[in-house]
Amino acid sequence: MRSLWLGAATALGMIFAGPAWAETVRILTIETNTPGARDYYTNAIKAFEAANPDVKIQFDYMDDTSFKAKLPTLLQSSSRPDAFFTWTGGVFHEQAEAGVLKDISAQMDENARAQYAPAGIAAHTYKGKLYGVPLYAAGVALFYNKALLAKTNVDPKSIKTWDDFLGAVKKVKAAGITPIVLGGKDKWPIAFYYGYLATRFAGTEGIAAADRGENGGFNNPDFVKAGGAFKQLVDLEPFQPGFMDTTQNKAAGLFGDAKGAFYLMGNFFIGVQAKNSTSGKGLGDDLDFIPFPTVAGGKGDANDTFGGVNGWLITKDAAPATVKFLRFLTSKENQLEGGKLGIWLPIAKDAQASIQDARLRGIGELLARAPHHQLYLDQALGASVGAALNDAAAEIATGDIKPEEAAQKVEEAREMR
């Protein structure tokens, strides 16, 4: 029911003496986890409402897993929000095909679009129609704990190849330190390894070709190699005990408490590991990162990156003020502030200069130099194939399937799509 989005207090306020807003714009997003992000949104909302007193902005938050599970049903109901967070990719394309989104091309003229990086506009465009507003980019990197690695004689900056990384894991484990912390319960953190390795072995073009069913689809040698390389890591038993029962947020906190040496995650992890640690401060200056290792004989460019281009999609029948608010929220000034606070990698043109955290700025530089940026595979491939890929990665991690079976599992999901 749409009234649920207003909340009891808001509804009573409208009935009695509260302000009579002409519009309520309801936004659904994922839980931020990054320190300061909620306050940032709250301040932006207050500023917009002050300039537009007839509009009420309401943000609702869900954790990643619940968001992905509940959104498809919600979008088909009368309770759909006016706009919602998106990782773009194949899932977005499916939503556009389902007819639950609004074409906002006419509300975003060339001057409005020029505010954003072209890749951001392209990521929110499907079949020539613009359905959303870009918010930020995200890049996955291999984070490490400087202090722990110093005890193991491992120089993280010397890790260039996958074999180098496997060697480092062996040394860390031999020193009695957990090599890798992993939130396996949510599955998608495991799939970051599988997905990045697929990007290295197959390349972005190879992934796109597989998604089209070419060369055997996902049941081809490059994806088997990606699974095989991941299995090499799994066979070293590098993860903390009970990793499959550990959520991403709990795992981030463990890493922030110095319970492991490496963690593969997006740039947002800088804030997440601090927020979820016991101290609330995380590793501080002991946290740093290296690019994901290269692989021998891979078809992907060594400088290709893996991550997201995220933003907001507008639903059909959205309140008229929805796009106006989202343009305000993602204005260059607001993105500069978000970058300054370390909340995200801004996607507005020339906003990267605001990034003060050297690690966040460094990941941004990797994205800027990348010939290609591969979207998270569970989003790029659509809901069903993405879920199958996450499952396959998790089953490799638990030793339940072989790399060949994982590739076949993903391909079977693609054929049934």
Side-chain angles (χ1 to χ4, degrees), residues 93-176:
H93 299 164
E94 291 172 352
Q95 292 161 345
E97 289 285 358
V100 297
L101 303 181
K102 182 179 181 179
D103 176 8
I104 62 168
S105 301
Q107 294 173 266
M108 294 281 287
D109 60 20
E110 290 304 314
N111 288 333
R113 299 183 194 204
Q115 170 183 315
Y116 308 95
I121 293 294
H124 293 78
T125 301
Y126 180 62
K127 292 186 176 179
K129 296 179 180 179
L130 181 63
Y131 291 98
V133 180
L135 179 62
Y136 61 81
V140 173
L142 189 58
F143 289 94
Y144 63 88
N145 183 319
K146 292 180 184 178
L148 288 184
L149 288 187
K151 298 177 181 179
T152 68
N153 222 13
V154 169
D155 176 10
K157 300 299 183 182
S158 70
I159 300 173
K160 305 296 183 184
T161 69
W162 188 247
D163 285 342
D164 291 339
F165 180 52
L166 296 178
V169 166
K170 293 175 183 177
K171 287 184 179 180
V172 171
K173 188 171 183 179

Side-chain angles (χ1 to χ4, degrees), residues 197-203 222 225 294-302:
L197 285 166
T199 303
R200 290 286 187 253
F201 279 106
D222 290 327
K225 289 177 183 176
T294 61
V295 299
K299 297 175 182 175
D301 190 289

Side-chain angles (χ1 to χ4, degrees), residues 6 144 178:
L6 294 173
Y144 63 88
T178 298

Side-chain angles (χ1 to χ4, degrees), residues 32 34-48 59 61 135-136 312 325-344 346:
T32 63
T34 305
R38 277 209 180 202
D39 290 341
Y40 168 84
Y41 283 132
T42 298
N43 291 335
I45 290 169
K46 288 180 179 178
F48 181 83
F59 259 52
Y61 296 87
L135 179 62
Y136 61 81
W312 308 102
F325 169 68
L326 292 176
R327 285 184 59 184
F328 171 80
L329 180 65
T330 60
S331 66
K332 182 178 178 179
E333 292 74 17
N334 281 330
Q335 290 223 7
L336 283 168
E337 183 64 17
K340 180 180 178 181
L341 295 172
I343 296 172
W344 54 46

Side-chain angles (χ1 to χ4, degrees), residues 27-42 45 59-64 67 85 87 135-136 188 248-249 252 265-276 310 312 329 342-344:
I27 311 290
L28 179 63
T29 187
I30 58 171
E31 185 60 60
T32 63
N33 286 315
T34 305
R38 277 209 180 202
D39 290 341
Y40 168 84
Y41 283 132
T42 298
I45 290 169
F59 259 52
D60 289 285
Y61 296 87
M62 285 187 186
D63 65 86
D64 287 25
F67 181 91
F85 180 84
W87 290 274
L135 179 62
Y136 61 81
W188 59 265
Q248 155 63 10
N249 285 344
M265 191 47 58
N267 53 267
F268 46 85
F269 183 68
I270 297 170
V272 174
Q273 59 86 31
K275 180 178 179 180
N276 289 283
N310 306 336
W312 308 102
L329 180 65
I343 296 172
W344 54 46

Side-chain angles (χ1 to χ4, degrees), residues 244-297:
M244 284 303 297
D245 293 321
T246 307
T247 64
Q248 155 63 10
N249 285 344
K250 183 176 180 180
L254 290 173
F255 191 81
D257 289 338
K259 301 300 183 181
F262 292 104
Y263 204 115
L264 183 68
M265 191 47 58
N267 53 267
F268 46 85
F269 183 68
I270 297 170
V272 174
Q273 59 86 31
K275 180 178 179 180
N276 289 283
S277 66
T278 301
S279 68
K281 298 179 181 179
L283 297 183
D285 291 339
D286 277 336
L287 179 70
D288 207 345
F289 79 94
I290 54 175
F292 191 81
T294 61
V295 299

